[in-house]
Amino acid sequence: MISYIADFTDAARDARHPAASDTTDLMSVLACAPSARGEGLDKLLRIFDEASAGAFETASGGNLAYVPSGGLFSAALGEFLARATNRYTMLSSFAPALIAMEEGILRWMAELFGLPSTGSGLFVSGTSVATLTALAAARYDRLGLHSAQGTIYVAEHTHYCVRKAAQIAGIARENVRTVPTGADFTMDTSRAEEMIKSDLDRGLQPMALVGTAGSTDTGSVDDLHALADLAARYRLWFHVDAAYGGFFQLTDRGKKKLAGIEHADSICADPHKGLFQPCGTGVLLVRDPEILRRTFSMQGDYLVDAADERPLPDYADHGVELTREFRGLRMWLPLNLHGTLAFAQELDEKLDLAQHAYRSLAAVKTIDVLSEPDLSVVAFRLRGASDQVNQKFLKEMNGTGPFALSGTTLGGVHYIRMCILSHRTHFDEVDEAVRVITEVSGRV
Ligand SMILES: *Cc1c(COP(=O)(O)O)cnc(C)c1O
C-alpha cells in the first residue's frame, strides 16, 4: 500500500489530463459485494487502481479546472497517524493535549485573519458545513428562536453553499437577498444598503451580510472594509466566505486584497484549497466562540459559565458533530514540518503564475481576458465568438493539452477559467497551458 502511494505521488505532477479513457466495467465493480472469506490485498488494490485511474485527475500539476487540488503527501501521513490511533476529540477531557494541538492551529488561523485573541472555531469537512454552522450561530445570536422575519444579503457571485446553508438553518428562501455586483464582480455596497433599508421599512429583520474573499468563478474579492462598515451600521452578522481565497492571507499581496476580513464575525476557509490539504478539510473561524457554544451546546446555557473555566473547548459544542474526525492533525503535521513560510511561498508563486497567464493571454489577438486577476483565477474567452464556439474551444484545449480547464457563465456569457492552486503547478505547467491555449485559439 505504501509503495503504491509512493509511486502515485512520484508520478502525480505529470499525470495526464484528462485521465485515460475509462474502460472499467462499472457493473462488475458494482456487483463486487464483500465476500465471506475476504480477498487478497493485491486484488483489491488492483480494483482501486483501475477505478482511480478512470477518475478526474485531481493531483496533477495540470489541474487548472477546479479549486480543490493537490493533496499534500505530508497531510496524508498526518491523517494516517490520526486514523490509526483513532483518539476521541469531541470533548477535551478525552484527549486534552490533542485538542490543544488542534486548538493551536485554529488560534493561529484566527490570528492570521486578524481576529481578536478570543478567536477560535472548528474544523469541519469543508466550507458548505462551515457556512451552515456559521449561519445557524448567526441566526441564533441575532434572532434567537424567532427567525421568520430574518433576512440575509448575498451577492450574485456568492457560492450556492450559502443559500443551501441558509435554507437548512431556517432562513426563509424568500428572505435571502441577492445584491447585484458591479463591473468588477464585487458586491455593490450601496445597493446592499438600499435593500437592507427597504427590508427594515417592511418590518423585516436584516440579520447577516455575506462577503466573498475570492469568488469561485473569477477569484474576485469584495470590498470587505465597506461591507464590514455596512454590517456594523445595521448590526448585521458579518460573514466572509474565504473558502478559496482565504489562505492567500499568508502573502503580502493577498493580505492587501483581503483587508477588512479582520472585522468578520465568522470566516470560512478551506485548507483543502489554499493549504493543499486533502478533500474534507474546511475551517470555521469566529470572533466569539461563546456564540457557537450557546448555539450548539446541548447542556443548556446554565453550564456556559462552568465551560468558561475550562482552558480548552469541547468541539462537540462548537457545531453539529459529536464523534468527529481529528482533522487538526492533517494540518498540524505539514504546517510544522514544512514551516508556514513554505506555504506562503507556494501561494505567492500561484499569484505570480496567474499574473503570467493573464499577461500572456491578454497579448493574444484571438483572446479576450476578463480582467486582471485579484488572486489566482484567470477567465478568458475567444474574441468575438459565440458561447457554443467557446465551449468547443474548451473541449478542444482539454483534449490537446496535459491540463484541464473549466467553463463558467459570467453575466450570461460563457467564459473559460484557469484556476491555479495546486502545490504541483509551477511555471512549466502554466506556460505550457498558455502555449496550447494560444495554439488552439488560432484554429477553432
Ligand atoms: C469551494 C467553495 C465553496 C464550497 O466549499 P466546499 O468546501 O466545497 O463545501 C464555497 N465558497 C467558495 C468561494 C468556494 O470556492
Side-chain angles (χ1 to χ4, degrees), residues 4 22-25 29 44-55:
Y4 173 86
D22 190 357
T23 54
T24 313
D25 174 4
V29 180
L44 299 176
L45 201 48
R46 220 165 29 246
I47 295 173
F48 170 79
D49 179 54
E50 262 183 43
S52 172

Side-chain angles (χ1 to χ4, degrees), residues 87-403:
R87 299 302 196 218
Y88 292 147
T89 56
M90 64 281 251
L91 301 178
S92 59
S93 57
F94 280 128
L98 294 179
I99 298 299
M101 289 164 78
E102 203 164 12
E103 183 66 12
I105 299 292
L106 281 171
R107 289 184 190 179
W108 169 77
M109 286 181 182
E111 193 187 324
L112 175 68
F113 286 105
L115 296 180
S117 62
T118 50
S120 175
L122 183 68
F123 287 117
V124 290
S125 57
T127 285
S128 298
V129 171
T131 306
L132 169 61
T133 312
L135 289 187
R139 197 205 71 170
Y140 190 63
D141 185 58
R142 298 299 147 111
L143 305 173
L145 297 173
H146 309 284
S147 59
Q149 307 299 312
T151 54
I152 73 165
Y153 305 82
V154 305
E156 274 169 27
H157 58 271
T158 302
H159 194 281
Y160 74 65
C161 78
V162 176
R163 283 174 189 284
K164 196 186 203 178
Q167 187 176 318
I168 305 170
I171 295 153
R173 249 181 215 222
E174 64 272 19
N175 286 356
V176 180
R177 304 274 173 267
T178 305
V179 182
T181 50
D184 57 354
F185 295 96
T186 65
M187 187 190 279
D188 183 332
T189 315
S190 53
R191 292 296 302 278
E193 181 159 18
E194 284 167 21
M195 288 170 146
I196 293 168
K197 278 185 180 156
S198 130
D199 284 336
L200 283 169
D201 288 346
R202 292 162 57 205
L204 295 166
Q205 290 178 286
M207 168 206 123
L209 176 66
V210 179
T212 300
S215 62
T216 316
D217 275 340
T218 67
S220 61
V221 181
D222 285 338
D223 182 343
L224 300 177
H225 270 305
L227 295 187
D229 284 349
L230 180 62
R233 254 195 324 280
Y234 292 90
R235 291 201 203 89
L236 307 189
W237 180 282
F238 181 36
H239 175 75
V240 178
D241 179 354
Y244 150 65
F247 290 102
F248 284 105
Q249 183 79 358
L250 282 163
T251 68
D252 289 342
R253 280 175 286 180
K255 213 175 192 144
K256 275 198 197 111
K257 294 275 183 201
L258 270 55
I261 198 167
E262 65 278 12
H263 300 300
D265 292 294
S266 55
I267 299 168
C268 291
D270 269 341
H272 63 212
K273 294 172 178 167
L275 289 181
F276 322 114
Q277 291 282 312
C279 293
T281 319
V283 65
L284 167 66
L285 299 167
V286 292
R287 294 188 95 67
D288 180 5
E290 207 46 55
I291 296 174
L292 294 182
R293 284 192 274 276
R294 258 182 252 135
T295 310
F296 295 105
S297 167
M298 278 298 124
Q299 293 147 8
D301 285 346
Y302 51 87
L303 275 183
V304 163
D305 291 344
D308 271 344
E309 286 154 27
R310 275 184 304 216
L312 290 166
D314 290 333
Y315 291 131
D317 293 344
H318 279 199
V320 175
E321 296 175 333
L322 177 57
T323 307
R324 59 185 290 277
E325 296 182 26
F326 180 29
R327 292 192 172 85
L329 201 62
R330 65 176 88 130
M331 281 155 279
W332 183 89
L333 187 68
L335 284 164
N336 283 290
L337 190 66
H338 311 304
T340 57
L341 189 59
F343 288 87
Q345 286 169 342
E346 276 288 331
L347 289 164
D348 237 345
E349 182 199 23
K350 307 312 165 221
L351 296 175
D352 287 341
L353 293 176
Q355 287 295 324
H356 171 64
Y358 166 68
R359 279 194 229 104
S360 310
L361 293 176
V364 179
K365 286 197 302 290
T366 42
I367 286 176
D368 275 333
V369 187
L370 182 72
S371 56
E372 184 169 348
D374 268 347
L375 297 170
S376 71
V377 177
V378 184
F380 60 94
R381 68 194 312 279
L382 270 184
R383 181 167 297 170
S386 67
D387 282 358
Q388 215 179 4
V389 172
N390 269 287
Q391 272 152 358
K392 187 169 157 241
F393 178 39
L394 172 62
K395 224 172 157 183
E396 186 76 16
M397 286 188 293
N398 281 349
T400 306
F403 57 78

